[in-house]
Amino acid sequence: MPDDRPLIILRPAPQERDRIFAPDTLARLHREFEVVDLDTDLSDAALLAALPRAFAVVGQPDLPADRLAAAPALRAIVNVEGNFFPNIDYPTAFAQGIRVLGCGSAYSQAVAEYALGLALDAARGISREDHAARSGREKYVSESNVGAILLRGADVGVIGFGNLGRSLHALLAPFHTNVRVYDPWLPPAVLTDAGVLPSSLEETLSRSTFVFVFATATPESAHLLDAAKLALLPDGARLILVSRAAVVDYDALLAELTAGRIVAGIDVWPVEPIPADSPFRALDTVILSGHRAGGIEQAFHTIGEMVCDDLELMKAGLPPVRLQAAAPELVGRYRNRPVG
Amino acid sequence: MPDDRPLIILRPAPQERDRIFAPDTLARLHREFEVVDLDTDLSDAALLAALPRAFAVVGQPDLPADRLAAAPALRAIVNVEGNFFPNIDYPTAFAQGIRVLGCGSAYSQAVAEYALGLALDAARGISREDHAARSGREKYVSESNVGAILLRGADVGVIGFGNLGRSLHALLAPFHTNVRVYDPWLPPAVLTDAGVLPSSLEETLSRSTFVFVFATATPESAHLLDAAKLALLPDGARLILVSRAAVVDYDALLAELTAGRIVAGIDVWPVEPIPADSPFRALDTVILSGHRAGGIEQAFHTIGEMVCDDLELMKAGLPPVRLQAAAPELVGRYRNRPVG
Amino acid sequence: MPDDRPLIILRPAPQERDRIFAPDTLARLHREFEVVDLDTDLSDAALLAALPRAFAVVGQPDLPADRLAAAPALRAIVNVEGNFFPNIDYPTAFAQGIRVLGCGSAYSQAVAEYALGLALDAARGISREDHAARSGREKYVSESNVGAILLRGADVGVIGFGNLGRSLHALLAPFHTNVRVYDPWLPPAVLTDAGVLPSSLEETLSRSTFVFVFATATPESAHLLDAAKLALLPDGARLILVSRAAVVDYDALLAELTAGRIVAGIDVWPVEPIPADSPFRALDTVILSGHRAGGIEQAFHTIGEMVCDDLELMKAGLPPVRLQAAAPELVGRYRNRPVG
Amino acid sequence: MPDDRPLIILRPAPQERDRIFAPDTLARLHREFEVVDLDTDLSDAALLAALPRAFAVVGQPDLPADRLAAAPALRAIVNVEGNFFPNIDYPTAFAQGIRVLGCGSAYSQAVAEYALGLALDAARGISREDHAARSGREKYVSESNVGAILLRGADVGVIGFGNLGRSLHALLAPFHTNVRVYDPWLPPAVLTDAGVLPSSLEETLSRSTFVFVFATATPESAHLLDAAKLALLPDGARLILVSRAAVVDYDALLAELTAGRIVAGIDVWPVEPIPADSPFRALDTVILSGHRAGGIEQAFHTIGEMVCDDLELMKAGLPPVRLQAAAPELVGRYRNRPVG
């Protein structure tokens, strides 16, 4: 009896199959689909052999126009890295009615919780005092709390109101903060509907005690936060950088932190690993973090579940609802580095 | 012209006047009341001289029955330390219709935010990795996130559902956690109305990934969390201790942390400062903190504002609404150390 | 063997025992306490015979000083009608350390849900169109929606921010309304902490599209909303009156409604039943309701549960937490009519 | 100087231009675009003349393949009625990279508020008692509240979790309800992420005291709620029907309501207007409503604003964010009648 289940090409590299598919999720994928598993076989031959019957490709292989032409049954290409790259001939894919889907939202909760953790740490000096205690220099009660502030009722700025910004905003609800958002891709009504104040970048920076940066790296956003913009931050501001290093001038940031004018929690860096002799490593005004905000097991496993859920919906003739469709207008713009 | 404003005795020691009254709040107090300022004069003579005309005492001076008898106009005694002590003859005060008021709730938001910060840190290793980066040992992305977990959707236990527990619970709302509460002073309906599950101590410990301890120190709660109770915590649990050291057996806690079975954020200690040779100082499974959760400037200034607001209401013949009335049943029970 | 359970006098009139105690709650009360049931025996003799051993009185019998003197074991008097009356010698009770407790909060959720229902009805004409359809006069779609407005994003005024106002405010949260509150018994910080704007009565009326009246009837609040105040309401305002008739000038209100300038949902009336020939009965601009906002079975049964919970706590030496303590400053002021 | 603004064909029939575009929104549209206004000119000639240069079509004109072929610059077709009809050759449109967008979400808040209003009315008998009072038959307090229930803590069922279901769910948050959802187009994780219980239709009906019907009319959902399904509702259930009449067997519903077994708020009808002799008109167990849930001015004006916002984004090379893209899988399925 022929296998009439739709065929899926699974070639997640540089993601790893077992990181994104928990065992039961992988079993489910195999139950619902015929899976051509190319987790370790990155050869063109294997990919090309499977394309003619493929219903979906899960991964980031090169798919120029001629390969798409060889895949008449293809309905979905699922990027499992978190960002869209120029690996696909997008116009051709869209013209063929192929859905190009991304898993970026799988990381949102992890990043938002981490960003809030960094903000509370920056507000209260948690890691600073923990570090001090390890060499017997900790202070107590009021003496340890000079400059400590509440998040409740604070002015908060959010730069970028996509998945990450929205997830962080949801966590702020019980703090009764006053949130300004700068996002040049959204009309004001989307922001006011969400309960935040649409603002310019300048106003967002100059009027916020806490600033969260979630900007996508594009040619336009390179060094969006340069020395002049960072200088707008009020004294004592807390700056939380979890995405993307390219949008900040780190030399200017170092100057502000060295002067003790602001405090920052930094998870993304222009060069990773952070150079051994980086002056950031010695500052008391920074929380150092190695690109850790999103990549936790629960986030990775969510990707596998999203893939299963949406491919099963498509198999049943329904639209996907968990993965996010690539916007034709944006697929050429991103300059993000892969998470992973 | 005689001063017909009610007289207030201000003797906040061991609190300090200027820590709890911001300049404008103090000016407001002086505008509405005749203030006998005993911030630095702790003599009996000054206190006794002012008592006969006193409308309110702000502070913790000794007020046995004979002194209360000498204060026929006294309507309120406001404790500004956060805990009630045996400095007052409470039955006599209550019989005289004197309101005994406390300011404990002024610290709630600061403690709740700090507790959440410790929890997110314990969940994700923020201070651990910051500390590692300062000696060039930090890890990146997935490698740094072994054991990292989300707060979202987690099982959470709260021990003690007074001001602190409720304030923390409010902050958890957007995380969609499943909250169990152990509080032997509350009937189940109060907890179910608040949207949490009333639970035994055992169930709270054994079924929660995050446990927050906000228990008041009483004779009954001494070493409430002993070795047997701590052993109930699931592997990988995160324990957040912000109040009170007396309720935990720290030797048993040290054993669990040394074994790497759980992770803890600890703000209160049986002896403060933490002894220089304390083995806690070297553990990677603990976030070290020196009794810093509540004592920040905004909390202290809130006390002064609460005092002004409520004394003004009482002056106008209305009941106080911000400070909390001492419960006759409980004033004799507390064994808390002062925050200060 | 003598009964060593504390004795409770149950004399709820004009409430009824079986209305406030569901069978299992009543059984629980009998299990924990010795109950002298005076549900139908309103004689002085029965009351006086039980007082000397009474731990608590549940109900509103007259308790002047001499009767209180005859009740040395009395710890609590629980009013089960919703308002405090001059049936007790309050100063004597307080001096004896007797807690005087009320059950008003038991009605809060029922009243808040009803008030929201009236507001949505007034906003959208639900009962008006239902009534029209019963005589074949209903309209459809846009034609039926002239003047219909959203609650979302609206300016809302709340007069009185006690149990009722707070419960209503909680229900408004997802509507992202802009709430102004007038409450002369509360300092501004209590209101700003709750996320509402402290306002004068004039501003609350003139700037709100929806106005909810929850004012307690006192000598000061009589006809608080007179013709001049009602004239401040913007055209098309929705006025929701669920408590108390005494605070509104109904002649002035009738004039506004007859003119079609505002719409009202009215649950309380200066005379109940509403006179047969009341002109209110014929107006399309009013939703007519017969003092029904609070008195539903779930609210009544909550009273019984609150009584049981709190008396059991007091029996165990703990303070009550569900019933509300009478404020000495306020017990003499209320002029409310009983719910019942 | 040639007009280099993109050209928009505005042919909203059977919608009306001035109902969806407030004056300032229309002015804004004219400022940003060259507008060919066919509000009253429904001729083919006018449409065909404008198509070759059209950037967007706002409305529901017939757009078969040959007309799309004649519109090489077309980037967007915006349906402003709320439902997708077979007026477009969808596959051809998608293959040309044309976005087909709908405005359904503009009605969500209005429908959700109305549905909540109906539910509170059904729970408490607001319109029933208002109607009674108009003929002097109203009852008071407890006597009027037989069968009245709280929404707080209730079991709630939601059938269909699209825009409407989600908007209603948001309004339920402060009621602490227990929500079950039946939606065969969504995987369980979408529902659990939203904080509701994924359920079968049978469980949703049999375990819910309040049931909200938001099901889209498709061939599969015709008479989804037939006699057998309605019989699953618990005694005293409240059924809120705001979308779509086709999914319910109204004869079976009439039988349940006549028997007094359930109470319903009904806004959609198999035949509108409701026949003059419909037995529904005389029932006390129903709230009668003439397809009024969504069509209010604020909802209509939101459509115009969404159109402006998204076409401006597309003009700037960005993806639309307010209107919803038609799913290729679903455009052929809908059987909804137009709102309007």
Side-chain angles (χ1 to χ4, degrees):
Chain A
M1 198 175 82
D3 189 342
D4 60 356
R5 295 171 303 170
L7 185 148
I8 289 176
I9 299 173
L10 179 58
R11 215 188 76 160
Q15 266 285 16
E16 299 166 23
R17 183 193 62 200
D18 294 345
R19 189 157 68 186
I20 59 176
F21 288 97
D24 57 341
T25 313
L26 190 61
R28 183 179 149 208
L29 192 74
H30 276 275
R31 195 164 55 239
E32 297 290 330
F33 299 95
E34 180 184 350
V35 178
V36 175
D37 186 336
L38 305 182
D39 185 37
T40 56
D41 179 356
L42 304 185
S43 69
D44 283 354
L47 177 70
L48 294 176
L51 270 181
R53 288 179 49 228
F55 174 74
V57 172
V58 177
Q60 301 72 227
D62 285 339
L63 292 170
D66 61 325
R67 290 186 178 184
L68 293 173
L74 195 61
R75 310 311 310 148
I77 303 168
V78 185
N79 179 306
V80 290
E81 270 208 289
N83 302 296
F84 294 107
F85 295 101
N87 61 309
I88 301 170
D89 183 319
Y90 291 102
T92 299
F94 295 133
Q96 281 183 227
I98 298 169
R99 290 181 179 277
V100 181
L101 301 165
C103 63
S105 66
Y107 300 105
S108 301
Q109 183 68 19
V111 173
E113 294 194 8
Y114 199 80
L116 179 61
L118 289 177
L120 292 170
D121 188 336
R124 306 294 291 276
I126 293 174
S127 58
R128 182 197 70 217
E129 288 299 311
D130 170 79
H131 181 62
R134 291 172 189 280
S135 53
R137 298 178 290 106
E138 83 274 12
K139 295 176 181 166
Y140 288 82
V141 201
S142 299
E143 200 188 349
S144 77
N145 279 328
V146 176
I149 56 175
L150 292 180
L151 180 51
R152 183 181 174 98
D155 286 299
V156 171
V158 177
I159 297 177
F161 204 63
N163 292 323
L164 302 181
R166 285 165 206 258
S167 293
L168 183 275
H169 180 238
L171 301 186
L172 295 181
F175 291 91
H176 298 275
T177 52
N178 186 31
V179 181
R180 286 182 179 78
V181 170
Y182 169 68
D183 191 321
W185 293 0
L186 296 177
V190 167
L191 299 177
T192 52
D193 275 3
V196 300
L197 292 170
S199 299
S200 66
L201 177 59
E202 287 71 16
E203 190 177 44
T204 300
L205 292 169
S206 63
R207 301 189 60 173
S208 300
T209 305
F210 292 85
V211 173
F212 295 87
V213 181
F214 301 118
T216 297
T218 65
E220 294 79 22
S221 68
H223 280 209
L224 187 71
L225 300 187
D226 57 14
K229 292 294 189 305
L230 291 171
L232 295 174
L233 288 167
D235 289 354
R238 269 67 172 181
L239 181 68
I240 307 304
L241 289 182
V242 293
S243 171
R244 301 285 185 173
V247 308
V248 180
D249 176 342
Y250 277 67
D251 291 334
L253 177 57
L254 177 64
E256 293 281 12
L257 294 168
T258 303
R261 206 181 69 77
I262 64 171
V263 175
I266 308 180
D267 188 50
V268 288
W269 303 87
V271 178
E272 295 177 5
I274 308 165
D277 60 352
S278 166
F280 282 98
R281 290 188 184 269
L283 292 174
D284 244 17
T285 47
V286 69
I287 305 156
L288 299 157
S289 176
H291 210 133
R292 339 176 38 243
I296 73 172
E297 186 181 79
Q298 284 163 293
F300 288 130
H301 285 180
T302 297
I303 295 174
E305 293 160 13
M306 292 165 83
V307 170
C308 264
D309 278 346
D310 274 356
L311 292 181
E312 287 184 30
L313 286 171
M314 291 186 70
K315 175 185 171 185
L318 292 168
V321 296
R322 300 193 69 193
L323 296 157
Q324 289 181 307
E329 293 86 350
L330 300 179
V331 283
R333 294 201 185 196
Y334 300 115
R335 293 289 179 276
N336 293 337
R337 298 174 3 158
V339 171
Chain B
M1 197 176 79
D3 190 342
D4 60 356
R5 295 171 302 169
L7 185 149
I8 290 177
I9 299 174
L10 179 58
R11 214 189 76 162
Q15 266 286 17
E16 299 166 22
R17 183 194 61 200
D18 293 345
R19 190 157 67 185
I20 58 177
F21 288 97
D24 58 340
T25 313
L26 189 63
R28 181 178 149 209
L29 192 75
H30 276 274
R31 196 165 55 239
E32 298 290 328
F33 299 95
E34 180 184 350
V35 179
V36 174
D37 186 338
L38 305 182
D39 184 38
T40 55
D41 179 356
L42 305 185
S43 69
D44 283 354
L47 177 69
L48 293 176
L51 270 182
R53 288 179 48 229
F55 173 74
V57 173
V58 176
Q60 303 71 225
D62 285 340
L63 292 170
D66 60 326
R67 290 186 178 183
L68 293 173
L74 196 60
R75 310 312 308 148
I77 303 169
V78 185
N79 179 306
V80 289
E81 268 209 289
N83 303 294
F84 293 106
F85 296 100
N87 60 308
I88 302 170
D89 184 319
Y90 290 101
T92 299
F94 295 132
Q96 281 184 225
I98 298 169
R99 290 181 179 276
V100 180
L101 301 165
C103 63
S105 66
Y107 299 106
S108 300
Q109 183 68 21
V111 173
E113 294 194 9
Y114 200 79
L116 179 61
L118 290 176
L120 291 170
D121 189 337
R124 305 295 290 277
I126 293 173
S127 59
R128 183 197 69 215
E129 288 299 311
D130 170 79
H131 182 61
R134 291 172 189 281
S135 53
R137 297 178 291 105
E138 82 275 12
K139 294 176 182 166
Y140 287 82
V141 201
S142 298
E143 200 188 350
S144 79
N145 279 328
V146 177
I149 55 175
L150 292 181
L151 180 51
R152 183 179 174 97
D155 287 298
V156 171
V158 176
I159 298 176
F161 204 63
N163 292 324
L164 302 182
R166 285 165 205 257
S167 292
L168 182 275
H169 181 237
L171 301 187
L172 295 180
F175 291 92
H176 298 274
T177 52
N178 186 31
V179 181
R180 287 181 179 78
V181 170
Y182 169 68
D183 191 321
W185 292 0
L186 295 176
V190 168
L191 299 178
T192 53
D193 274 3
V196 300
L197 293 169
S199 299
S200 65
L201 178 59
E202 287 73 16
E203 190 176 45
T204 300
L205 292 169
S206 63
R207 300 191 59 174
S208 300
T209 305
F210 292 83
V211 173
F212 295 87
V213 181
F214 300 118
T216 297
T218 65
E220 294 80 22
S221 69
H223 280 207
L224 187 72
L225 300 186
D226 57 15
K229 292 295 189 305
L230 291 171
L232 294 175
L233 289 167
D235 289 354
R238 269 69 172 179
L239 181 68
I240 308 304
L241 289 182
V242 292
S243 172
R244 300 289 184 172
V247 308
V248 180
D249 177 342
Y250 277 67
D251 291 334
L253 177 58
L254 177 64
E256 292 281 12
L257 293 168
T258 304
R261 207 181 69 76
I262 65 171
V263 174
I266 309 180
D267 188 50
V268 289
W269 302 87
V271 178
E272 296 177 4
I274 309 166
D277 60 350
S278 166
F280 282 99
R281 290 186 185 271
L283 292 175
D284 243 17
T285 46
V286 69
I287 304 155
L288 299 157
S289 177
H291 210 132
R292 343 174 37 243
I296 73 173
E297 185 181 80
Q298 284 163 292
F300 289 130
H301 285 181
T302 298
I303 295 173
E305 293 160 13
M306 293 165 83
V307 169
C308 264
D309 278 345
D310 274 357
L311 292 181
E312 287 184 31
L313 286 171
M314 292 186 69
K315 175 184 171 185
L318 293 167
V321 296
R322 300 194 69 192
L323 297 157
Q324 290 181 306
E329 294 87 349
L330 300 180
V331 282
R333 294 201 184 198
Y334 300 114
R335 292 290 180 275
N336 294 336
R337 300 173 3 156
V339 171
Chain C
M1 197 176 80
D3 190 342
D4 59 357
R5 295 171 304 170
L7 185 148
I8 289 177
I9 299 174
L10 180 58
R11 215 189 78 160
Q15 265 286 17
E16 299 166 22
R17 181 194 62 201
D18 293 345
R19 191 157 67 186
I20 57 175
F21 288 97
D24 57 340
T25 314
L26 190 61
R28 182 178 149 209
L29 192 73
H30 276 273
R31 195 165 55 240
E32 298 290 331
F33 299 95
E34 179 184 350
V35 179
V36 174
D37 186 338
L38 305 182
D39 184 38
T40 56
D41 179 356
L42 305 185
S43 68
D44 282 355
L47 178 68
L48 294 176
L51 270 181
R53 288 179 49 229
F55 173 75
V57 173
V58 176
Q60 301 72 226
D62 284 341
L63 292 170
D66 61 325
R67 290 186 178 183
L68 293 173
L74 196 60
R75 309 310 309 146
I77 303 169
V78 185
N79 180 304
V80 290
E81 269 208 288
N83 303 296
F84 294 106
F85 296 101
N87 60 309
I88 302 170
D89 184 319
Y90 291 100
T92 299
F94 294 131
Q96 282 185 226
I98 298 169
R99 289 181 179 275
V100 181
L101 301 165
C103 63
S105 66
Y107 298 106
S108 301
Q109 183 69 19
V111 173
E113 293 194 8
Y114 200 79
L116 179 62
L118 290 176
L120 291 170
D121 189 337
R124 306 294 290 275
I126 293 174
S127 59
R128 183 196 70 216
E129 288 298 311
D130 170 78
H131 182 62
R134 292 172 188 281
S135 53
R137 298 178 290 105
E138 82 275 11
K139 294 176 181 166
Y140 288 83
V141 201
S142 298
E143 200 187 350
S144 77
N145 278 330
V146 177
I149 56 174
L150 292 181
L151 180 51
R152 182 179 174 98
D155 286 299
V156 171
V158 176
I159 299 176
F161 204 64
N163 292 323
L164 302 181
R166 284 165 206 258
S167 293
L168 182 276
H169 180 237
L171 301 186
L172 296 180
F175 292 92
H176 297 274
T177 52
N178 186 31
V179 181
R180 285 180 180 79
V181 170
Y182 170 68
D183 191 322
W185 292 0
L186 295 177
V190 168
L191 300 178
T192 51
D193 274 3
V196 300
L197 293 169
S199 299
S200 66
L201 178 59
E202 288 70 17
E203 190 177 44
T204 300
L205 293 169
S206 63
R207 301 190 60 173
S208 300
T209 305
F210 292 84
V211 173
F212 295 87
V213 182
F214 301 118
T216 298
T218 65
E220 294 80 21
S221 69
H223 280 210
L224 187 73
L225 300 187
D226 58 15
K229 292 294 188 305
L230 291 171
L232 294 175
L233 288 167
D235 289 354
R238 271 66 174 179
L239 182 68
I240 308 304
L241 290 182
V242 293
S243 171
R244 300 288 184 172
V247 307
V248 180
D249 176 342
Y250 277 67
D251 291 334
L253 177 58
L254 178 64
E256 293 282 12
L257 293 168
T258 304
R261 206 181 69 77
I262 64 171
V263 175
I266 308 180
D267 188 51
V268 289
W269 303 88
V271 178
E272 296 176 5
I274 307 165
D277 60 351
S278 166
F280 282 99
R281 289 187 185 271
L283 292 175
D284 244 18
T285 46
V286 69
I287 305 157
L288 299 156
S289 176
H291 211 133
R292 337 173 44 239
I296 73 173
E297 186 180 79
Q298 284 163 290
F300 288 130
H301 285 180
T302 298
I303 296 174
E305 294 160 14
M306 291 165 84
V307 169
C308 264
D309 278 346
D310 274 356
L311 292 181
E312 288 185 30
L313 286 171
M314 292 185 70
K315 175 185 171 186
L318 292 167
V321 295
R322 300 194 68 192
L323 296 158
Q324 290 182 306
E329 293 88 348
L330 299 179
V331 282
R333 294 201 184 195
Y334 300 115
R335 292 291 181 273
N336 294 337
R337 300 171 6 154
V339 172
Chain D
M1 198 176 79
D3 190 342
D4 60 357
R5 295 170 304 168
L7 185 150
I8 290 177
I9 299 173
L10 179 58
R11 215 187 77 161
Q15 265 286 16
E16 299 165 22
R17 182 195 60 201
D18 293 345
R19 191 158 66 186
I20 58 176
F21 288 96
D24 57 340
T25 314
L26 190 62
R28 182 179 149 208
L29 192 74
H30 276 274
R31 195 165 54 239
E32 297 289 329
F33 299 94
E34 180 185 349
V35 179
V36 175
D37 186 336
L38 305 182
D39 185 37
T40 56
D41 179 355
L42 305 184
S43 68
D44 283 355
L47 178 68
L48 293 176
L51 269 181
R53 287 178 49 229
F55 174 74
V57 173
V58 177
Q60 301 72 225
D62 285 339
L63 292 170
D66 60 324
R67 291 187 177 183
L68 294 173
L74 196 60
R75 309 313 309 148
I77 303 168
V78 185
N79 180 305
V80 290
E81 269 208 288
N83 303 295
F84 294 106
F85 296 101
N87 61 308
I88 300 170
D89 184 319
Y90 291 101
T92 299
F94 294 132
Q96 282 185 226
I98 299 169
R99 290 181 177 277
V100 181
L101 301 166
C103 63
S105 66
Y107 299 106
S108 300
Q109 183 68 20
V111 173
E113 293 194 8
Y114 199 79
L116 180 61
L118 289 176
L120 291 170
D121 188 337
R124 306 295 290 277
I126 292 174
S127 60
R128 183 196 70 216
E129 288 299 311
D130 170 78
H131 181 62
R134 291 172 189 280
S135 54
R137 297 177 291 105
E138 82 276 11
K139 295 176 181 167
Y140 288 82
V141 201
S142 298
E143 199 187 351
S144 78
N145 278 330
V146 176
I149 56 176
L150 292 181
L151 180 52
R152 184 181 173 96
D155 286 298
V156 171
V158 176
I159 298 176
F161 204 63
N163 292 323
L164 302 181
R166 285 164 205 258
S167 293
L168 183 275
H169 181 237
L171 301 186
L172 296 179
F175 291 92
H176 298 274
T177 52
N178 186 29
V179 181
R180 285 181 180 79
V181 170
Y182 169 68
D183 191 321
W185 293 0
L186 295 178
V190 168
L191 300 176
T192 52
D193 274 2
V196 300
L197 292 169
S199 299
S200 66
L201 178 59
E202 288 71 16
E203 190 176 44
T204 300
L205 292 169
S206 63
R207 301 190 59 173
S208 300
T209 304
F210 293 83
V211 173
F212 295 86
V213 181
F214 299 118
T216 297
T218 66
E220 294 79 23
S221 70
H223 280 208
L224 187 72
L225 300 187
D226 58 14
K229 291 295 189 305
L230 291 171
L232 295 174
L233 289 166
D235 289 354
R238 270 67 173 180
L239 182 68
I240 307 304
L241 289 182
V242 292
S243 171
R244 300 288 184 171
V247 307
V248 180
D249 177 342
Y250 277 68
D251 291 335
L253 177 57
L254 178 64
E256 293 282 11
L257 293 168
T258 304
R261 208 182 68 77
I262 65 172
V263 174
I266 309 181
D267 188 50
V268 289
W269 302 88
V271 178
E272 296 178 5
I274 308 165
D277 60 351
S278 166
F280 281 99
R281 289 186 185 272
L283 292 174
D284 244 18
T285 46
V286 69
I287 305 156
L288 299 157
S289 177
H291 210 132
R292 336 174 43 240
I296 74 173
E297 186 180 79
Q298 284 163 292
F300 288 130
H301 284 180
T302 298
I303 296 173
E305 294 160 13
M306 292 165 84
V307 169
C308 265
D309 278 344
D310 275 356
L311 292 181
E312 288 184 31
L313 286 171
M314 291 185 69
K315 175 184 171 186
L318 292 168
V321 296
R322 300 194 68 192
L323 296 158
Q324 289 181 307
E329 294 87 349
L330 299 179
V331 281
R333 294 200 183 196
Y334 299 116
R335 293 289 181 274
N336 293 336
R337 299 174 5 157
V339 171

